[in-house]
Amino acid sequence: MEQETHLNESRPATPGTTRPGGRTAKVRRAVLDATLDALAGTGFHALNMDRIATGAGVGKTTVYRRWGSPAGLVADLLRDMAEQSLPASDTGSLADDLRANAELVRTTLADPRMGAVFRAVIAAAACDEECARALAGFYRTRLAAWAPAVARGVARGEAPAGTDPVELLRAVSAPLYYRFAVTREELGADVAERAVAAALAAARDGVFAGA
Amino acid sequence: MEQETHLNESRPATPGTTRPGGRTAKVRRAVLDATLDALAGTGFHALNMDRIATGAGVGKTTVYRRWGSPAGLVADLLRDMAEQSLPASDTGSLADDLRANAELVRTTLADPRMGAVFRAVIAAAACDEECARALAGFYRTRLAAWAPAVARGVARGEAPAGTDPVELLRAVSAPLYYRFAVTREELGADVAERAVAAALAAARDGVFAGA
């Protein structure tokens, strides 16, 4: 089914940004869902533009014109994942907000489907500069969404003044991603709990203040 | 040059374990050096047994018989890297030993050639079970080599009794590998210094005791 759309206002750099409820958005949704399926199933190296188009029920020309390359698909998927991610929590306790953050990271990576997607995009970032920039952008967006939770905790005096929210959040994520992407160990709830305890202890010691 | 060796006592599972100074060891050295060059140059997916044999000046049959597959080459290279790694430091100070550990990890990952090799083996581990087991074995060996340094620090009272040396060492490595393999940020000396400070603060807080 070679149904082409001709939306010249849709710039290739940010596909689907126009007419959010319209055909452009529907095409983007179908293509990104097919991309997610493909990444979860066979990874980045087997990502095939023609099969994505077929899987999404979208014309090949549309997929090539809007996304350009498999890396372009991955980059847009990561933008979409960052936008669709759950909002940061606001429990009134820094420790509880960090626990919520660690559990969100842990359950995402431990989920068979989303774990496979993250494995694929991390591998893609290792060999493709566009994917690397897109993955960095994904983490930038997520860290920016969660930084206010840490800033509120600092304002309440739960960590020293001057604590860098992003450094503290990275310290929570690092042990989870290290096990996931490098040593490939089980990600039990205890790992998330220990990551939070360690990061908080370091924060209270002033390690992330003036970083 | 199709010079085959016929050492039936050399079992494929642990190539080169017999006659350490002899021809077996020399063939292994040449093949592993060629494997390292290939991983640093073009990564795991382009690893080609025939080219490794040619690069090492060793018969193809030898390479196929002893290592079996590209994953077999990577697995043996990781065994060799673990054996050849610098010994753990013993400065008399837990903080200084952890600094030496963090600097060793950091300079290895930040080195263009060794960084490329680690990127390649981490990517290989993501898509090949034999490589994943070999990489896990590499870290097991390295952690076992460094655990006594932490145990000595605990015995000197520099961290609470019951502190798990391996958990503390992982906490030092995690932020470095997270930046290297996931967020792909610069690995400056400040990152290693902060990783040590954070891990030590957490250890002193008892986070790794009774883990």
Side-chain angles (χ1 to χ4, degrees):
Chain A
M1 77 184 253
E2 199 56 30
Q3 277 192 314
E4 296 301 332
T5 56
H6 295 281
L7 298 167
N8 291 322
E9 72 277 21
S10 165
R11 291 168 301 163
T14 49
T17 49
T18 53
R19 301 201 336 183
R23 164 126 183 95
T24 301
K26 285 200 189 91
V27 165
R28 185 187 181 215
R29 185 75 273 136
V31 166
L32 294 187
D33 285 350
T35 302
L36 194 107
D37 286 344
L39 285 176
T42 53
F44 178 65
H45 284 283
L47 205 63
N48 177 291
M49 303 282 283
D50 291 1
R51 275 204 297 275
I52 295 294
T54 306
V58 168
K60 291 177 189 179
T61 317
T62 300
V63 175
Y64 279 97
R65 198 180 55 231
R66 281 210 211 145
W67 285 276
S69 68
L73 285 169
V74 169
D76 197 36
L77 176 65
L78 283 165
R79 256 190 305 268
D80 181 63
M81 281 164 58
E83 287 157 11
Q84 305 291 326
S85 289
L86 290 173
S89 71
D90 184 4
T91 62
S93 147
L94 176 59
D96 286 342
D97 284 348
L98 291 180
R99 262 181 218 118
N101 177 275
E103 267 300 293
L104 184 58
V105 172
R106 183 186 81 82
T107 52
T108 301
L109 298 180
D111 177 75
R113 183 173 154 85
M114 288 314 293
V117 170
F118 272 89
R119 236 179 255 302
V121 296
I122 290 168
C127 61
D128 182 282
E129 205 38 57
E130 184 176 358
C131 291
R133 277 196 306 271
L135 188 58
F138 171 82
Y139 289 116
R140 223 170 19 245
T141 304
R142 296 306 295 146
L143 288 167
W146 278 86
V150 177
R152 286 190 299 269
V154 173
R156 288 189 303 262
E158 296 172 60
T163 296
D164 182 334
V166 166
E167 278 302 313
L168 176 47
L169 288 164
R170 278 174 216 242
V172 171
S173 283
L176 296 164
Y177 274 97
Y178 174 58
R179 280 170 169 80
F180 174 74
V182 181
T183 64
R184 300 174 68 83
E185 293 159 279
E186 282 285 317
L187 284 177
D190 58 319
V191 176
E193 185 55 44
R194 213 178 306 130
V196 170
L200 260 180
R204 289 192 190 118
D205 206 49
V207 173
F208 308 122
Chain B
M1 76 182 256
E2 196 61 27
Q3 276 192 315
E4 294 303 331
T5 55
H6 296 283
L7 297 167
N8 291 322
E9 71 277 21
S10 165
R11 290 167 302 162
T14 50
T17 50
T18 53
R19 303 203 332 188
R23 165 126 182 93
T24 302
K26 285 199 189 91
V27 164
R28 185 187 181 214
R29 184 76 274 136
V31 167
L32 295 188
D33 286 350
T35 303
L36 195 108
D37 286 344
L39 285 176
T42 52
F44 178 66
H45 284 283
L47 205 63
N48 177 291
M49 304 282 283
D50 291 0
R51 275 203 297 274
I52 295 294
T54 306
V58 168
K60 290 178 189 178
T61 317
T62 299
V63 175
Y64 279 97
R65 199 180 54 230
R66 281 209 211 148
W67 285 275
S69 67
L73 285 169
V74 169
D76 197 34
L77 176 65
L78 282 165
R79 255 192 304 270
D80 181 62
M81 282 164 60
E83 288 157 10
Q84 305 291 327
S85 289
L86 289 174
S89 71
D90 184 5
T91 61
S93 147
L94 177 58
D96 286 341
D97 284 349
L98 292 180
R99 264 181 217 115
N101 178 274
E103 266 302 292
L104 184 59
V105 172
R106 183 186 80 81
T107 52
T108 301
L109 298 180
D111 177 76
R113 183 172 154 85
M114 289 313 293
V117 169
F118 271 89
R119 235 180 255 301
V121 296
I122 290 168
C127 61
D128 182 284
E129 206 34 60
E130 184 176 358
C131 292
R133 277 196 306 272
L135 188 59
F138 172 82
Y139 290 115
R140 225 172 14 250
T141 304
R142 297 305 294 146
L143 288 167
W146 279 85
V150 177
R152 286 190 299 270
V154 173
R156 288 190 303 263
E158 297 172 59
T163 296
D164 182 335
V166 167
E167 278 302 313
L168 175 47
L169 288 164
R170 279 174 216 242
V172 171
S173 283
L176 295 163
Y177 273 97
Y178 174 59
R179 280 169 169 80
F180 174 74
V182 180
T183 64
R184 301 174 68 83
E185 292 159 278
E186 282 286 315
L187 284 176
D190 58 320
V191 176
E193 185 57 44
R194 212 179 306 129
V196 170
L200 261 180
R204 289 191 190 119
D205 206 48
V207 173
F208 309 123

